[in-house]
């Protein structure tokens, strides 16, 4: 019986007793950064997953389920970071494609110039 | 065994097995581990974004050690962390490609300017030769006119043609001068000597680390040169929006630095309505000024 009580107390001690405000704040800021990076448009699914998890984290915190709230906040934060990275990737890809086309066109102009040398 | 004792035994059994670590290498762990190994072995991406790779490994290790109640959470975390590591590595590669393309763009523009200048010089030479031929023709006609006054009108016509040709030659000369100036500016921009000139298609620049002292948000002595670079970029296209992006390891410092750079650019004459700022957390410090269409 003593062992059972100790086990029960051990599990109870692992349950957070304070709201995970720091985690929620970090998740909120990460979501804002992703939004500013254009993730809502350029990385829609990932950004929406981050926003849904943040809403769920707030709801869990409101119900006093602090461990669940902390997990959801961490998931929201990492999804926000991923959404921001995906948005940055999309922009970079567009810019690199544009510059490749522009450089190829300029190089073509130079090659076609009659009587002019083009240094490759 | 009393009913109470039986209840406590059942409770103990439940605690012992409800949240024990799932040491078995289950399908999810194996799948995610294989994905991370694939990324690490990639010849291009494998050595990039080491910090994100480390976080992905840590999430995978947490999944391996997690109890049943935490398993879903750590599967999600590991998946996202691995995707993030791949995205961060791809960003690094693309940023390098972007820099190379910008360099290639500048070189091609210089080549183009040189070609145009050479063509203008050739045109000038052609005009000069034509002018010389016409002058000789006019001289010959004038001599004939003097010999036979009745042919005077023909000589006047040649003289008018000569004047017209001189006008064309002057125009070609002006064009050659302008192209030579452009060539010199581009050569200076690529570091071939001469005074600094603005690159024709530059849309962004990174301010030197020395703009701010470490962990400070006030401009360092000598930062005015960096601010002038930013102002020159902004003035290059007065219709474009100017974006100031600051990344440091401290968000508050990043925001304050963005504000300080903005104020300095406004003080130097840049329209405040054109300027937007962003501050982000990052391991590497960076201040980037970019023009937005």
């Amino acid at each position: 019986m003593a062992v059972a009580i100790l086990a029960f107390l051990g599990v109870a001690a692992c349950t957070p007793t304070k709201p995970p405000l720091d985690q929620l704040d970090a998740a909120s800021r990460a979501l804002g950064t992703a939004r500013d990076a254009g993730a809502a448009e350029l990385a829609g699914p990932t950004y929406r997953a981050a926003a849904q998890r943040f809403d769920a984290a707030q709801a869990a915190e409101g119900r006093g389920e602090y461990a669940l709230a902390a997990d959801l906040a961490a998931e929201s934060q990492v999804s926000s970071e991923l959404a921001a990275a995906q948005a940055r990737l999309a922009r970079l890809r567009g810019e690199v494609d544009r510059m490749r086309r522009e450089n190829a066109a300029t190089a073509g102009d130079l090659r076609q110039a009659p009587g002019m040398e083009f240094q490759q | 065994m009393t009913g109470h004792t039986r209840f406590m035994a059942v409770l103990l059994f439940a605690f012992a097995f409800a949240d024990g670590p799932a040491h078995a290498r289950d399908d999810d762990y194996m799948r995610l581990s294989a994905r991370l190994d694939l990324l690490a072995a990639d010849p291009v991406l494998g050595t990039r974004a080491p910090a994100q790779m480390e976080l992905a490994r840590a999430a995978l290790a947490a999944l391996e050690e997690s109890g049943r109640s935490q398993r879903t959470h750590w599967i999600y975390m590991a998946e996202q962390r691995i995707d993030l590591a791949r995205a961060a590595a791809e960003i690094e590669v693309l940023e390098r490609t972007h820099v190379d393309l910008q360099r290639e763009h500048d070189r091609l523009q210089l080549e183009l300017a040189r070609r145009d200048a050479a063509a203008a010089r050739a045109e000038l030479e052609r005009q000069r030769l034509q002018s010389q031929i016409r002058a000789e023709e006019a001289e010959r006609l004038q001599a004939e006119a003097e010999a036979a006054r009745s042919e005077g009108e023909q000589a006047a016509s040649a003289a008018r043609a000569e004047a017209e040709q001189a006008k064309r030659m002057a125009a070609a000369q002006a064009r050659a001068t302008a192209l030579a100036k452009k060539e010199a500016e581009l050569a200076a921009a690529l570091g071939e000597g001469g005074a600094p000139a603005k690159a024709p298609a530059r849309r962004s620049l990174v301010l030197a680390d020395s703009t701010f002292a470490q962990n400070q948000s006030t401009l360092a002595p000598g930062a005015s040169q960096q601010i002038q670079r930013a102002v020159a970029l902004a003035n290059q296209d007065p219709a474009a929006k100017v974006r100031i992006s600051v990344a440091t390891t401290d968000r508050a410092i990043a925001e304050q630095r963005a504000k300080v750079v903005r104020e300095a650019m406004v003080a130097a004459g840049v329209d405040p309505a054109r300027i937007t700022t962003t501050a982000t957390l990052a391991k590497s410090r960076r201040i980037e000024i970019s023009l937005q269409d």
Side-chain angles (χ1 to χ4, degrees), chain A residues 71 75 79 88 95 102, chain B residues 70 73 76 80 95 105:
Chain A
D71 282 352
E75 290 174 11
S79 290
R88 169 92 180 120
E95 180 65 11
E102 197 175 312
Chain B
Q70 287 279 290
H73 168 68
Y76 186 84
Q80 298 284 289
E95 280 176 341
H105 177 271

Side-chain angles (χ1 to χ4, degrees), chain B residues 240-275:
Chain B
K241 295 281 183 193
V242 180
R243 186 181 181 92
I244 302 169
S245 306
V246 181
T248 68
T249 52
D250 183 304
R251 187 180 186 80
I253 289 178
E255 287 172 352
Q256 192 57 32
R257 283 182 173 182
K259 191 177 165 197
V260 167
V261 172
R262 182 182 191 278
E263 286 171 354
M265 290 181 71
V266 170
V270 179
D271 182 0
R274 294 175 57 202
I275 303 176

